[in-house]
Amino acid sequence: MKQPQPIRQYDHVGIRVSDRQQAVAFYEQLGFQEVRRFDKYEANEMETPDGVRINLIFNATRLPHGRNVLLDEPIKLPGVTHPAFVVDDLYALKDWLDQAGIAITEGIHRLGPRRITLFIRDPDRNVLEFNQLLPESGPASTPTSNNH
């Protein structure tokens, strides 16, 4: 039986972090602003001027050695590995990330026929993907790494 309600849009992704102040400051650098706090749930909602939303969840335990359990361990556990955001000019973003001192963990490369992409990590080693969409043409390529 088919689910009766069509999914109309994507609302947000929840990102678990260990240090509220550090995480909010980091995501503010990327253009998000806190618009709501949910103290009962140890969370907030952050939004860009274009309406892209994330929720930060402030109850993580920071792991030793800056490891991400979904991507950096040999046994791959199920779970959401990263949000992927769209920007107009990925090269301008790369230049800004370099100037801001935010490490790029996987540099600009083509990923499939419709985008170029780069990856960074937040202070808790959560992976963030940024894409510039392209007209679809040419052969697909694959990234050189799957550990962003």
Side-chain angles (χ1 to χ4, degrees):
M1 180 174 186
K2 183 179 173 187
Q3 193 272 101
Q5 287 296 305
I7 297 172
R8 299 284 183 202
Q9 65 182 22
Y10 189 82
D11 186 74
H12 70 274
V13 63
I15 303 171
R16 181 165 279 127
V17 298
S18 63
D19 183 310
R20 181 191 192 291
Q21 185 175 352
Q22 183 183 41
V24 168
F26 178 82
Y27 284 94
E28 283 177 343
Q29 276 188 284
L30 296 177
F32 291 91
Q33 291 297 312
E34 185 174 74
V35 293
R36 289 174 193 83
R37 287 182 67 168
F38 308 108
D39 292 329
K40 177 180 177 183
Y41 301 103
E42 299 180 85
N44 79 352
E45 185 170 270
M46 298 187 80
E47 189 172 316
T48 67
D50 288 318
V52 177
R53 285 187 296 274
I54 61 173
N55 285 17
L56 298 181
I57 302 143
F58 308 115
N59 60 8
T61 299
R62 186 162 290 182
L63 295 176
H65 312 296
R67 307 280 296 168
N68 177 310
V69 296
L70 293 178
L71 293 170
D72 299 333
E73 300 301 328
I75 296 173
K76 301 303 180 199
L77 301 173
V80 177
T81 60
H82 63 278
F85 304 106
V86 175
V87 297
D88 292 331
D89 185 340
L90 198 60
Y91 291 93
L93 175 65
K94 180 196 177 301
D95 291 344
W96 177 83
L97 290 166
D98 289 339
Q99 291 172 5
I102 298 172
I104 296 169
T105 56
E106 193 170 326
I108 295 175
H109 62 279
R110 191 172 184 119
L111 183 60
R114 66 181 189 89
R115 63 190 164 149
I116 56 175
T117 187
L118 70 76
F119 293 84
I120 66 172
R121 291 194 181 204
D122 75 5
D124 283 292
R125 307 296 293 154
N126 291 307
V127 173
L128 306 175
E129 177 180 338
F130 291 88
N131 295 288
Q132 179 179 330
L133 301 180
L134 305 171
E136 289 199 38
S137 65
S141 65
T142 57
T144 57
S145 167
N146 64 0
N147 286 340
H148 315 298

